[in-house]
Amino acid sequence: LTNLLHATEAQHLYEAAREAMANSYAPYSKFAVGAAVLTFDEKIYKGVNVENASYGLTICAERIAIGNSITNGNRDIRAIAVCTRAAEATPCGACRQFIYEFGPGITIVYMSNGILVQKTIAELLPLGFDGSMLLHL
Ligand code: THU
């Protein structure tokens, strides 16, 4: 089983991210984001961005979705889709590092001008930081 999704699987995951988007809490930016984690045992865990009146406390949809997967005992992440109303939107830098923690091969599914694109997190975050880098301490 590879991390790359078949087109229909990618569409299904992206649709889950779109469904989640409806529950986004984004009263300040008004920029709704939905995310959906797909695990290797084919479960889907959703997340939305959660903003705060103290703007910098905002948490992105991707991190909420991963937290949801981890909370439910599922760390075996295959892919994450992200949905917004922008023509193209990819996970922010902080989320890339957060995703990388669970594997450099995780597939990111996102829309780019009407085309559903898949890239690994290692492609989106070259030389990501990982736990092995802590071992010299
Ligand atoms: N946002 C996400 O949820 N994920 C991203 O990858 C990019 C940004 C949210 C944070 C904030 O609530 C809004 O989008 C505007 O930055």
Side-chain angles (χ1 to χ4, degrees):
L1 195 56
T2 69
N3 289 35
L4 196 73
L5 309 192
H6 292 294
T8 50
E9 286 180 299
Q11 281 158 18
H12 183 249
L13 190 63
Y14 186 77
E15 200 44 50
R18 189 203 300 288
E19 280 167 24
M21 207 170 68
N23 293 328
S24 159
Y25 179 72
Y28 306 107
S29 74
K30 319 260 190 229
F31 188 71
V33 184
V37 163
L38 175 68
T39 60
F40 278 98
D41 61 355
E42 292 178 348
K43 301 282 194 307
I44 288 178
Y45 299 95
K46 296 177 185 177
V48 296
N49 55 330
V50 181
E51 297 190 344
N52 193 274
S54 179
Y55 296 172
L57 297 183
T58 291
I59 306 178
C60 295
E62 297 90 326
R63 277 177 281 162
I64 298 277
I66 288 177
N68 190 12
S69 182
I70 300 303
T71 299
N72 283 281
N74 212 327
R75 300 175 179 184
D76 218 355
I77 296 173
R78 184 177 173 205
I80 305 179
V82 55
C83 182
T84 73
R85 66 174 188 277
E88 179 180 80
T90 59
C92 80
C95 287
R96 292 179 193 201
Q97 177 60 36
F98 202 84
I99 293 163
Y100 191 82
E101 177 73 17
F102 298 97
I106 291 173
T107 295
I108 308 303
V109 177
Y110 65 95
M111 190 62 79
S112 180
N113 298 299
I115 294 169
L116 207 51
V117 176
Q118 298 186 42
K119 285 190 193 295
T120 68
I121 190 62
E123 287 180 272
L124 296 183
L125 184 70
L127 301 175
F129 188 76
D130 69 68
S132 72
M133 295 172 178
L134 294 169
L135 295 180
H136 63 92
L137 295 178

